[in-house]
Amino acid sequence: MTISLGFVVAEFNRDLTYQMELLGREHAEFLGATVKETILVPGVFDMPLAIKKLCQREDIDAVVTIGSVIEGETDHDQVVMQHAARKIMDLSLEFNKPVTLGIPGPGMTRMAAHERVDYAKRAVEAAVKLVRRL
Ligand SMILES: Nc1c(NC[C@H](O)[C@H](O)[C@H](O)CO)[nH]c(=O)[nH]c1=O
Ligand SMILES: CC(=O)[C@@H](O)COP(=O)(O)O
């Protein structure tokens, strides 16, 4: 059975998330999985509703989130990341479907974010493994 993935990709820091999306797509192809649907959202904090819509689809086996949360002058990056990560986990449990985290941060400089674009591959790999094993 070919595993069908849904991608939810943040436009915020698009120079980074574009690279991450490409890496994620390449890795999905390498693993024999299909990226059936991709939803672009403004930022990581805006992901939950898009994740929910993909989780409701019977033709999608898992959802992969792709984004990058970079620190600013305040602790706003902590708010964005902590709440998004928690909701991502909650939605996975609510819909009994893997929703994986391809979002580095918080507390991350732009340089550190560049060094972690492979988080997208990690999230795709985790999604495929979970579908196969669960
Ligand atoms: N600072 C980052 C954000 N912030 C924006 C929020 O995610 C959201 O789009 C806004 O609050 C409107 O609801 N988003 C990221 O993805 N990455 C960041 O570094
Ligand atoms: C995580 C973000 O939204 C970031 O742009 C916030 O920057 P700042 O803390 O300088 O307001």
Side-chain angles (χ1 to χ4, degrees), residues 18 53 72 79 121 130:
Y18 182 74
K53 285 187 177 295
V79 172
K121 287 178 62 176
L130 285 168

Side-chain angles (χ1 to χ4, degrees), residues 25-113:
R25 289 180 183 281
E26 286 172 5
H27 202 52
E29 185 178 3
F30 172 75
L31 296 174
T34 300
V35 180
K36 195 127 191 192
E37 177 84 41
T38 299
I39 300 178
L40 280 175
V41 296
V44 163
F45 189 83
D46 312 304
M47 288 187 167
L49 191 55
I51 294 167
K52 184 173 182 176
K53 285 187 177 295
L54 293 178
C55 283
Q56 288 171 331
R57 286 180 51 166
E58 290 188 8
D59 62 335
I60 287 179
D61 302 306
V63 177
V64 174
T65 61
I66 294 174
S68 190
V69 177
I70 295 174
E71 65 185 3
E73 295 174 2
T74 71
D75 286 342
H76 191 61
D77 62 323
Q78 300 286 340
V79 172
V80 168
M81 191 70 215
Q82 301 297 348
H83 289 279
R86 177 56 191 266
K87 207 60 211 169
I88 286 167
M89 194 184 297
D90 289 346
L91 286 164
S92 180
L93 294 172
E94 178 183 348
F95 287 93
N96 197 30
K97 189 171 285 189
V99 182
T100 58
L101 187 69
I103 308 168
M108 195 168 60
T109 63
R110 180 162 285 275
M111 178 59 72

